[in-house]
Each structure stands twice: as C-alpha cells, then as structure tokens.
C-alpha cells in the first residue's frame, strides 16, 4: 500500500508534437496571457507536492515556461514514440507514493479536481480518476503499486489500458464541470477558447 503521507507527483505530459495545430500549441497564449501549458501546469501544481513536466529534447522555450511555473522539466529522448513512452519515462524518473497524470494541452482542468484526485491517493486509493468507466477524464492518479506497469507503457497509448485491467481498484470521481475536460488540439480549439 502507498504511504498516504508520501510524495504525490503531478506528471505533466508536454512532449507531444502538436501536428494538428500546425505549430507549438502548448505555447499558444490564452486570454490571461499565460500559455496553454503554463495554465495546465498551474492547475496541476495546486494539488500535488511536486510537478514534473516531460518535454521533447531541445524544447527550450516550453522548458523555460514550465520551470518558471515551478515544474521540474525532464527531456524525453523517446517522446516521438508517443504518450505512453513519455509517461513511462516520467514515472521512472520521479520516485513517489503516487502520480497524477495530466496533459499539457488541457488548460481548463479545475484545481479542485486535481486536489480531489490527489487526496484520494493520499487516502490510500490504488487508482483515482475523474469520470466513469464509460467516459474517462483527467487527471488520473496512480499509487506506487502500479509503478512497474506504468514504467512499461510505450507507444502512443497512455494509461487507459491500466484503468480497464484494474477496474476494481479505481475510485471514480465526477469532474467539477465537463467543460474542464476540453483540450487544445487545433487552431479552432484555441480560437474558441479565446472567444470565451
């Protein structure tokens, strides 16, 4: 069992190529002037003990922004293999009692949702996730019980398969609002967010 008083690391996955956006979507500014990634990082940092951001090798501008938000930045040489590889790398490099997995292109995650998932891990939940078995949401928290499975992930698959394989271990929490689950994948997504 994880130590409820142990370190909970927020793992911000920020190593995607952003091909559908056509540029580095994570640096795109939102209405308050902060970038997509910096906004996501700030929400994550409010509920965890430490934020570790995984970026592509050589992504200096993004690294500077995330460091300014207080994140420890790790460059993943296998980032081009996909989200699973970045997640596995981040977990392997960040020993903890548990990890909250968040995506840097989801800047609207509510701080209260981050806190609820982290608190569930601290209380001893093996896995804590927003959403339901039918409709997964972010962030997702894993206790140290799953360190081996997490570090063996690869390719472009995240941890969704672990949620299915260990369904009886998942504590499901409803998100504060469904709008928090929007991501920025395309220029149209970004422009829509700016109009709000």
């Amino acid at each position: 069992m994880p130590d409820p008083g142990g370190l909970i690391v927020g793992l911000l996955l920020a190593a995607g190529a952003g091909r559908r956006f056509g540029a580095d979507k994570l640096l795109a500014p939102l209405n308050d002037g902060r970038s997509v990634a910096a906004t996501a990082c700030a929400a994550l940092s409010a509920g965890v003990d430490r934020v570790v951001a995984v970026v592509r090798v050589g992504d200096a501008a993004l690294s500077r922004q995330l460091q300014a938000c207080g994140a420890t930045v790790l460059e993943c040489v296998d980032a081009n293999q996909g989200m699973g590889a970045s997640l596995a790398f981040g977990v392997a490099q960040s020993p903890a009692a548990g990890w909250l997995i968040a995506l840097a292109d989801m800047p609207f995650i509510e701080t209260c949702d981050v806190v609820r998932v982290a608190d569930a891990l601290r209380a001893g939940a093996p896995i804590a996730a927003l959403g339901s078995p039918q409709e997964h949401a972010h962030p997702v928290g894993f206790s140290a019980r799953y360190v081996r499975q997490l570090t063996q992930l690869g390719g472009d698959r995240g941890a969704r398969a672990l949620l299915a394989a260990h369904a009886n271990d998942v504590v499901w929490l409803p998100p504060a609002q469904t709008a928090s689950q929007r991501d920025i994948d395309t220029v149209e997504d970004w422009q829509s967010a700016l109009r709000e």
Side-chain angles (χ1 to χ4, degrees):
M1 288 295 290
D3 172 12
L7 184 73
I8 302 296
V9 167
L11 192 60
L12 187 69
L13 301 182
R19 291 180 187 90
R20 290 174 58 196
F21 195 86
D24 196 338
K25 64 181 179 179
L26 299 182
L27 294 177
L30 296 174
N31 285 329
D32 64 0
R34 292 186 302 175
S35 71
V36 169
T39 302
C41 187
L44 183 59
S45 66
V48 297
D49 301 307
R50 176 182 177 219
V51 174
V52 173
V54 180
V55 302
R56 295 183 306 276
V57 173
D59 202 341
L62 180 60
S63 295
R64 282 193 299 272
Q65 282 199 13
L66 295 174
Q67 287 168 341
C69 293
T72 299
V73 175
L74 303 176
E75 293 186 340
C76 179
V77 296
D78 295 325
N80 63 339
Q81 294 180 17
M83 184 190 307
S86 296
L87 197 163
F89 171 76
V91 168
Q93 298 299 313
S94 309
W99 300 269
L100 239 68
I101 314 301
L103 307 180
D105 66 355
M106 295 184 71
F108 306 110
I109 296 295
E110 298 279 344
T111 298
C112 63
D113 285 337
V114 173
V115 170
R116 288 166 60 229
V117 174
D119 284 349
L121 287 182
R122 291 185 180 105
I127 302 173
L130 291 180
S132 69
Q134 295 75 34
E135 191 170 349
H136 301 170
H138 289 88
V140 179
F142 291 91
S143 72
R145 176 189 304 186
Y146 291 97
V147 65
R148 183 180 57 80
Q149 293 96 321
L150 290 168
T151 55
Q152 290 177 348
L153 291 172
D156 203 31
R157 293 185 341 181
R160 186 175 295 264
L162 291 182
L163 294 178
H166 302 280
N168 292 335
D169 287 344
V170 182
V171 174
W172 291 103
L173 304 164
Q177 54 177 334
T178 55
S180 69
Q181 295 299 307
R182 291 177 302 154
D183 58 5
I184 305 289
D185 269 344
T186 66
V187 172
E188 290 74 23
D189 294 336
W190 173 58
Q191 291 172 336
S192 175
L194 294 179
R195 287 192 294 268
E196 294 179 3

